[in-house]
Amino acid sequence: MSGRLEHLRGYRRFAVLATALAATVAALLPAATAAAGTPQRQWTGTWATAQHASYDPGTSEVTVRIPVRVSAGGSSVRIRLTNDFTTEPVTIGHATVGLRADGSAVAKPQRLRFGGKSEVTIPAGEQAASDQVRLTVPARSDLVVSLYFPGRLTHISQHWMGLQTVYWTPDGGGDHASDPDGDAFTRTDSAFPFLTGVDVRGENAAGAVVALGDSITDGAASTANANRRWPDYLAGRLSACSTTAGVLNEGISGNRITAGTDGNPSALDRLERDVLSQPGARTVILFEGVNDLSWGGATGDQVIDGMKEIVRRAHARGLRVIGATVVPYRGWGDWWTEAKEADRQKVNTFVRDGGVFDGYADFDKAVRDPDDPTRYAAAFDSGDHLHPNDTGMKAFADAVDLAGLRVARDCPSARVRLTPYRPSLPAGRATEITATVTNTGAEAVSRVTTGLRLPDGWTARAEGETGTGFLAPGGSRTVTWRVTPSADAAWGPYDIGVATSFRQGGRTRHDTDGVTADVTPVPSAVRPPYRTFATADDAQYAQNDDQFAIWAGGRDLAGWMDEKAAVHVPDAVPASGSVSARLVGQTGSGPSAKAGIAVANDLTAPEKGGYAVLTMSKSYGVEFMTDSDGDGHLDTWAGGGSSYHPAWLRLTRDGTAYTAYASTDGTIWQRVGTATVPSAADGGLDAGMVASAVNLDHPGQTTTAVFDTFSTTD
């Protein structure tokens, strides 16, 4: 499906669906929303996405397998499909649903029928709902929907930013919808095709919350395949209540309130289909406006008028509407201005104090920098200064008052959160990590205790008591631990968890949180056969099994002056051979700092013979540099592109010819360039890992480079 974005076509405006398909095809979903106290014989949405585009896949006889994370559970399930963005009908010859086993495998896939038939043809511009299937669906579990398309598949209606691996059979692969294993699904994509909703009934869901939003709600910049969009975190919070609710994500990247485009209609234009018609919808969280104000050309008054219209129409259908404040975006491209900031503040004042919404979630306050409220705080910023990282997504969900949603009862009052949000822990050394328990409820909780969950071999020592007998409404309690990774812990990310238990309403309740902690290297000895050498200032090294770290200053590497630090093996590369390593990351340096691999007659004396160096730098991407005459100065250069980590780097030698390769995954290699280095023609060559801060224009800066899987081959 690699050509998907290039083949997007056939966009049109959303229209309100007002008729039903014939019974021989399928029934349109009921448009009426559930009122309070609706019996559970009614359907409740547990997963949804806003289809908004189509493309021609150029394929035939294929099956797609779509994993989705549901919010509320049930004892029966159905799916909803749409063919809303095309001019031709689509036929699904066979459809199944089942709980996910692993990857693309499904545990006992159940056949879906439409009006009693296994095959359904959906006319252009319409939707179809499957019949009920008896299937126990646990809350917050993964379902897999499989669809087989007989004959030529002329188009796919899709939601393109799925942030989820979707599995396809190859062209001509045939019907594999009922396969328990996933062996037939050899292609992948990341868009949701045709599937627009999953509904459940038979359990304790009291309705659904619809998140109407743009790319932030859609999950942009959150971790793919991890369900870390803010509506996912909200569903996790609701799942701990005595009666839970479905959470439906109706975000579309680039969406606006005041205007739309083909393939991306405004929130007002899509309100009926994406919100008001959702099964069991009780409450809407409206989180839009940043696109209108930044690049959309709308004024604050126009955004406010659009919000008022959405609230009016939702209230007319019996839905509550929670407004979310517009987040800061200074630094996102060139869109921010003082005038636009004034409009953002005007809109946020309206959301908080305008008296139109049934409540508000202060997303702006949750993520803004207290020292500069026009920007994201660094802990929540994905790096583009508009979209939050996973921690920011969690902060949004935490900012929602569950009681104000009026869809769930008896929710846990206390929440626990860990800080820092991405701690760095030097291997074998203690670092402070703090857990804060906050009582967000209206009544006191008691018997509050808190504990950490650590990787094997780690230790933690609490500074003070880890519990308290009483926590008043609005009160908080912090516990600080000194956490020490095991001395031999591999450098890299680890999950640290925290759990709190407390008494609320006569019973024990729980809440959890987790952060990703990075174990970082500490200078140590390097063991034979590896050696170290430096011409750069303040060089240090570390080795942890097959991991290596280099700290280095230096004004250049393989350029007009040789200032570097190296971990190397003498005489490692014969006349025909190669050297490879994975550059895991590089931090703490200027834009031209370099780290990578090198071969030379003598890495400790580059003037004695030529060299070949392959590095990564922030400014120039992959750089392949050689010194053909052995004078210690750069003669050839090849490379370019963007910088990325981890980076797999490889240099091959065939006599005097050197070829450089780079890879983003260690399997698919791109040739960077080939050069002749006659001066490095004799005997075995030194090979190693090198780093330089290239700090001529950034005096005093150093770089830290981390490597693993260093190897040489004949």
Side-chain angles (χ1 to χ4, degrees):
M1 317 310 274
S2 60
R4 168 170 46 84
L5 293 180
E6 288 76 10
H7 292 86
L8 292 178
R9 62 179 178 83
Y11 294 161
R12 64 176 179 79
R13 306 274 302 181
F14 284 86
V16 175
L17 300 177
T19 59
L21 298 178
T24 56
V25 179
L28 275 179
L29 299 174
T33 57
T38 299
Q40 275 304 300
R41 64 176 178 270
Q42 299 296 326
W43 291 105
T44 295
T46 187
W47 178 90
T49 194
Q51 298 279 336
H52 63 103
S54 69
Y55 72 102
D56 181 350
T59 192
S60 301
E61 293 286 335
V62 291
T63 307
V64 64
R65 185 155 277 181
I66 312 164
V68 298
R69 171 66 58 87
V70 303
S71 48
S75 57
S76 296
V77 65
R78 72 174 182 183
I79 70 168
R80 291 177 279 135
L81 303 170
T82 187
N83 191 29
D84 203 38
F85 289 90
T86 67
T87 58
E88 301 176 49
V90 65
T91 296
I92 290 119
H94 182 198
T96 64
V97 65
L99 295 175
R100 189 177 194 178
D102 183 44
S104 56
V106 184
K108 298 179 180 179
Q110 305 292 309
R111 181 182 293 271
L112 291 167
R113 289 178 171 83
F114 300 80
K117 298 182 179 181
S118 295
E119 182 175 291
V120 61
T121 297
I122 309 175
E126 299 194 16
Q127 288 190 345
S130 73
D131 301 337
Q132 170 180 301
V133 170
R134 295 287 297 176
L135 177 67
T136 299
V137 180
R140 306 289 293 142
S141 63
D142 287 346
L143 279 181
V144 176
V145 175
S146 301
L147 307 173
Y148 162 61
F149 305 96
R152 171 79 162 84
L153 182 57
T154 61
H155 59 273
I156 291 176
S157 181
Q158 63 160 358
H159 179 93
W160 73 264
M161 193 170 70
L163 293 175
Q164 171 68 57
T165 299
V166 173
Y167 304 91
W168 289 83
T169 61
D171 187 37
D175 182 5
H176 291 275
S178 290
D179 291 6
D181 63 66
D183 295 346
F185 297 87
T186 58
R187 293 191 301 161
T188 61
D189 196 5
S190 59
F192 293 123
F194 295 105
L195 184 66
T196 193
V198 178
D199 308 325
V200 292
R201 64 183 179 189
E203 294 294 336
N204 67 343
V209 177
V210 185
L212 179 60
D214 49 38
S215 58
I216 300 176
T217 297
D218 211 2
S222 68
T223 302
N225 290 310
N227 300 298
R228 294 178 181 174
R229 313 164 190 87
W230 73 261
D232 297 319
Y233 284 116
L234 178 61
R237 290 188 62 201
L238 285 167
S239 68
C241 302
S242 295
T243 59
T244 186
V247 179
L248 308 181
N249 189 329
E250 297 291 352
I252 300 178
S253 180
N255 202 234
R256 290 177 285 168
I257 295 174
T258 57
T261 61
D262 286 344
N264 200 338
S266 71
L268 283 163
D269 287 342
R270 66 190 183 97
L271 185 66
E272 176 68 32
R273 193 202 71 167
D274 288 348
V275 178
L276 304 182
S277 297
Q278 293 298 321
R282 295 272 300 280
T283 301
V284 187
I285 301 177
L286 175 60
F287 182 29
E288 297 222 25
V290 71
N291 291 325
D292 301 79
L293 297 173
S294 58
W295 55 266
T299 65
D301 287 333
Q302 289 171 324
V303 172
I304 290 169
D305 288 343
M307 288 179 166
K308 289 179 179 177
E309 177 65 12
I310 289 172
V311 173
R312 184 192 66 77
R313 290 171 57 187
H315 282 172
R317 297 286 283 273
L319 276 71
R320 291 174 58 79
V321 186
I322 305 299
T325 49
V326 181
V327 294
Y329 63 90
R330 189 172 187 175
W332 180 52
D334 297 324
W335 298 113
W336 186 91
T337 66
E338 293 281 359
K340 292 177 180 179
E341 177 64 19
D343 273 337
R344 186 178 75 91
Q345 296 297 340
K346 185 175 187 177
V347 171
N348 286 349
T349 298
F350 166 76
V351 171
R352 296 180 182 113
D353 306 324
V356 172
F357 290 103
D358 299 294
Y360 71 90
D362 206 336
F363 287 1
D364 167 45
K365 182 180 179 181
V367 299
R368 70 192 182 204
D369 184 343
D371 296 325
D372 183 357
T374 66
R375 299 178 184 271
Y376 267 81
F380 306 118
D381 191 351
S382 68
D384 68 4
H385 312 303
L386 172 66
H387 300 95
N389 55 23
D390 294 350
T391 303
M393 292 288 185
K394 185 189 299 180
F396 288 156
D398 283 347
V400 176
D401 175 22
L402 299 188
L405 298 176
R406 303 283 177 88
V407 291
R409 291 187 296 105
D410 191 25
C411 299
S413 292
R415 293 204 304 270
V416 62
R417 292 295 178 257
L418 280 177
T419 54
Y421 300 108
R422 185 86 189 218
S424 293
L425 285 73
R429 298 183 182 178
T431 300
E432 288 190 353
I433 294 179
T434 298
T436 302
V437 182
T438 304
N439 182 4
T440 61
E443 298 182 0
V445 298
S446 60
R447 302 183 193 175
V448 181
T449 61
T450 308
L452 287 183
R453 184 185 71 253
L454 300 173
D456 291 342
W458 292 31
T459 61
R461 180 174 58 83
E463 297 181 347
E465 298 295 325
T466 59
T468 184
F470 179 86
L471 197 58
S476 62
R477 167 87 177 190
T478 62
V479 182
T480 298
W481 281 272
R482 293 185 62 79
V483 176
T484 305
S486 57
D488 59 351
W491 309 328
Y494 292 82
D495 291 332
I496 295 178
V498 65
T500 189
S501 65
F502 53 94
R503 295 286 291 179
Q504 173 189 338
R507 64 191 184 99
T508 301
R509 308 296 292 269
H510 305 275
D511 191 49
T512 61
D513 190 28
V515 297
T516 299
D518 294 308
V519 174
T520 57
V522 175
S524 64
V526 172
R527 299 185 299 275
Y530 296 97
R531 300 180 184 178
T532 62
F533 175 77
T535 52
D537 296 333
D538 303 322
Q540 291 181 295
Y541 312 91
Q543 181 180 0
N544 186 3
D545 291 332
D546 60 354
Q547 295 179 300
F548 299 87
I550 301 174
W551 292 264
R555 287 179 288 177
D556 202 0
L557 188 158
W560 66 281
M561 60 175 56
D562 175 45
E563 295 190 354
K564 66 179 184 294
V567 175
H568 64 102
V569 180
D571 301 326
V573 180
S576 178
S578 67
V579 56
S580 302
R582 187 175 78 139
L583 175 61
V584 177
Q586 184 178 359
T587 58
S589 57
S592 299
K594 297 175 173 60
I597 55 177
V599 295
N601 278 350
D602 186 346
L603 274 174
T604 68
E607 71 279 0
K608 295 181 179 179
Y611 58 72
V613 182
L614 180 63
T615 65
M616 182 72 72
S617 71
K618 182 177 180 180
S619 292
Y620 304 108
V622 179
E623 297 187 71
F624 175 43
M625 300 165 286
T626 65
D627 167 26
S628 61
D629 56 13
D631 64 357
H633 294 276
L634 178 69
D635 294 323
T636 67
W637 183 96
S642 60
S643 177
Y644 56 87
H645 297 94
W648 281 258
L649 304 173
R650 177 179 295 165
L651 284 170
T652 65
R653 177 193 184 193
D654 185 5
T656 61
Y658 294 80
T659 304
Y661 300 89
S663 173
T664 60
D665 59 9
T667 58
I668 301 174
W669 294 84
Q670 300 292 327
R671 189 176 71 86
V672 180
T674 297
T676 300
V677 187
S679 61
D682 299 328
L685 300 184
D686 292 357
M689 297 156 281
V690 294
S692 174
V694 191
N695 59 16
L696 178 64
D697 296 324
H698 305 272
Q701 289 198 1
T702 60
T703 187
T704 303
V706 178
F707 301 83
D708 62 18
T709 63
F710 177 81
S711 63
T712 58
T713 60
D714 295 342

